Amino acid sequence: MLNQYTLTTPLTSVRGVGPTILKQASQAGINTVGDLVFDLPSRYVDRSQQAKIYQLTQDGTFTILAQVVSVTGQRYGRKTQQKAVVADDTGKVTLRWFNSPFVLGSLKINQTYYFSGKYSTQYRSMTQPTYEPVRPTQIHTGRLVPFYAGLFDLADGSKRRLLSQIFKLLQVEPTHLDLLLKKHTLPAELEIEPNLIEALKKVHFPDQSQQVTAARYRLALEEILSLMSRAKKLKLEWQKLNSAKSLPFLEMTVTPSEITFPQLNIDLPFRLTPDQITSIKEISHDLTLTQPMNRLLVGDVGSGKTVVAGIVAAHVVKQGLNACLIAPTQILADQHAQSLAQICPQLSIQLVTARHKLTPDKLQAPSLFIGTHALINKLTQIKPALVIFDEQHKFGVIQRSQLKVGADTPHVLTMSATPIPRSLMMTIFAHLKVSQIKTMPEGSLPTQTWLIPERKRTDQLVWLDKQLTQNPQALAMVVCPFIEPSKAPGLDKIKSVTLTTAELQKALPNLKVAMLHGRFKAEDQAKIIAQAGKGQIDLLVTTTVVEVGLDLPNADFLIIEAADRFGLASLHQLRGRVGRRGQDSFCFLFSASTSSESKKRLAEFAKINDGQKLAELDLGRRGAGDLFGTRQHGFDQIRFFGWTDHDLIGLAQQIEPQLPADWQSIIPDLQSNPNVLDDQPVAAN
Ligand code: ADP
Ligand code: MG
């Protein structure tokens, strides 16, 4: 057996790790000492308050040091109870456990242990205390005790024991960052543990709670630096590329009365906003270079990103080259094809979806190819000079290698409605250039949003019936979390598309109610959307398939069922589906939860119409989780870092230039997960 461990020591060589633990650990992706020690506690229980037995006069969690006087067990039917009487030099106390027969075998009479648990004055005993023999340093009692919630499903006690053993033998040479931090004058307002191994020890076994914060900051700092240096590398890599098509500058004439594009045949039914104009200029400047563009176009829901994409795509096609526009859903691809055909009547547009195959004839003339993610696999055939990703966050991670179109790299434009905090923009997205549409098109009114209590449901329906009857063109959308009713306990009351459609049709027999969800065939989806757009449907009951980008000008009313089940960013996207013509529009939220926290959140949402503000609100409340979603976005791999740690970002910016070019974090996950930032930002809506 080894008498010294490093972060890369396999768990197989660690003392006390048997086959059962090994199996569980490897299932959770934990194979080395490093994997284990970077799996941080999710919470701590304060068992540091030590007491003598005579001091146990009030309810609370205490740790006592006492000798075992007696241990007994009793059986009540199928249940068992274990009791011990323990004593110190000030008195005796009874301890109770339930269904814990192992206590009988492990507590030895006359031996002294630490016991930590809740003392109840009513029963004059401690219930279910944790105990451990006296050691040089306690790990389960008499201190802040760590608890774990990771995937590694090992009992907390066993995990603590294993970790404390490991820390005794773990040697980590001071890392490059450790040495830098030691030299660096750390900002006074930021208490940070400069040494990585100390940070790890303290995060698992803190003596005081401040140590946890200081230790987590150390890990978070390393993580930010890792993301920053990755962004820097990507930027350099991208800058070295020199094989994109260079286009002439896109001419644009802006006069007070109109905006025209002399080279293009474009028919705009509205005047572009100043930010749209600036974005077009910035993009078309990038397109003049042989260095491929890597630009992000951010703008709140409804800010008018599509037309910007259409104009620059038309410019590319006009030069005899192909462009691609990749949308997250087929509905959206259809819609983009339609709306861009109106704006650019002479532009050759090819829809490439499951229904519309990419046939050789489509490759004859320079075109804008619009499709879903599957279009990515067609890039080698299409060889586009420009690839535009709409609502990027829905894609998961795109590898730059996938963007190879023969020897060339296309220019890449990514569009997203996710407001990305400035601090992040400058650090982990430093490899992207950003255009931002900050102002909404003139005349767009905020959607009036109301949180409707359940008892007012009927009133709301009566009101809606009247509105829809008076205005036959108007469309109301009802969004439900589920397609079919769930049978799971607790979820069976949550509204589903099928049931709600039937209920609404029954309640409102004079209105046309239809449903739409992701299990419909693409052509049926398209048919329903078209009918809805023409005013042939009054109420469209649907799921979040309509969430991103859908542009139905006659959609005036939105009802969101179980709104508490959606993140604020999703709700905001959904709300962006109504009032698209700048007409009065309404969003009604029903909550399936009665918790006051969730009501408060929805009430705030009803008041705030600005996506950036909502994002900040969510960020402030619970980190990036909701804003960036949890699974498909790549951001979930960010483990230690909270987006609002501004001081920490500041420190990272000071430190970063001092790191060697080939610096790599020692933290296992930060090395093996390049996906966090492969070229494209992967953000939620
Ligand atoms: P998003 O940025 O959310 O993708 P869209 O591009 O779908 O927004 O645009 C939202 C709506 O606003 C569309 O109906 C579009 O035609 C319209 N629109 C875009 N730009 C302007 C503008 N400058 N003035 C008025 N309406 C506009
Ligand atoms: Mg859009």
Side-chain angles (χ1 to χ4, degrees), residues 270-273 276 300-307 441 551 580:
F270 43 70
R271 189 189 164 82
L272 292 172
T273 63
Q276 284 175 319
D300 204 350
V301 177
S303 63
K305 298 182 288 292
T306 316
V307 59
D551 192 20
R580 306 281 289 185

Side-chain angles (χ1 to χ4, degrees), residues 575-617:
R575 182 166 61 181
R577 299 312 109 219
V578 292
R580 306 281 289 185
R581 275 183 293 117
Q583 76 272 39
D584 276 326
S585 58
F586 301 85
C587 169
F588 302 100
L589 310 169
F590 287 98
S591 175
S593 153
T594 48
S595 100
S596 60
E597 171 62 19
S598 106
K599 278 207 181 114
K600 192 170 142 231
R601 193 173 74 103
L602 293 176
E604 276 171 333
F605 172 75
K607 273 188 280 174
I608 301 173
N609 250 289
D610 175 332
Q612 182 82 39
K613 286 216 186 86
L614 283 172
E616 281 161 17
L617 196 77

Side-chain angles (χ1 to χ4, degrees), residues 437-483:
I437 309 182
K438 290 192 190 119
T439 48
M440 301 296 275
E442 209 169 304
S444 60
L445 297 171
T447 298
Q448 296 183 44
T449 307
W450 308 91
L451 176 59
I452 309 285
E454 204 51 46
R455 67 191 145 79
K456 294 253 175 89
R457 189 182 272 281
T458 316
D459 296 353
Q460 195 272 337
L461 203 59
V462 169
W463 182 87
L464 187 66
D465 185 19
K466 196 168 142 219
Q467 298 291 322
L468 290 171
T469 311
Q470 278 173 3
N471 180 358
Q473 275 301 309
L475 172 72
M477 292 196 273
V478 183
V479 176
C480 302
F482 297 144
I483 296 178

Side-chain angles (χ1 to χ4, degrees), residues 305-306 336 390-391 549:
K305 298 182 288 292
T306 316
H336 282 330
D390 188 22
E391 305 291 356

Side-chain angles (χ1 to χ4, degrees), residues 274-289:
D275 288 341
Q276 284 175 319
I277 295 172
T278 311
S279 303
I280 293 170
K281 281 187 185 156
E282 286 167 347
I283 296 165
S284 69
H285 171 264
D286 286 357
L287 295 179
T288 62
L289 307 175

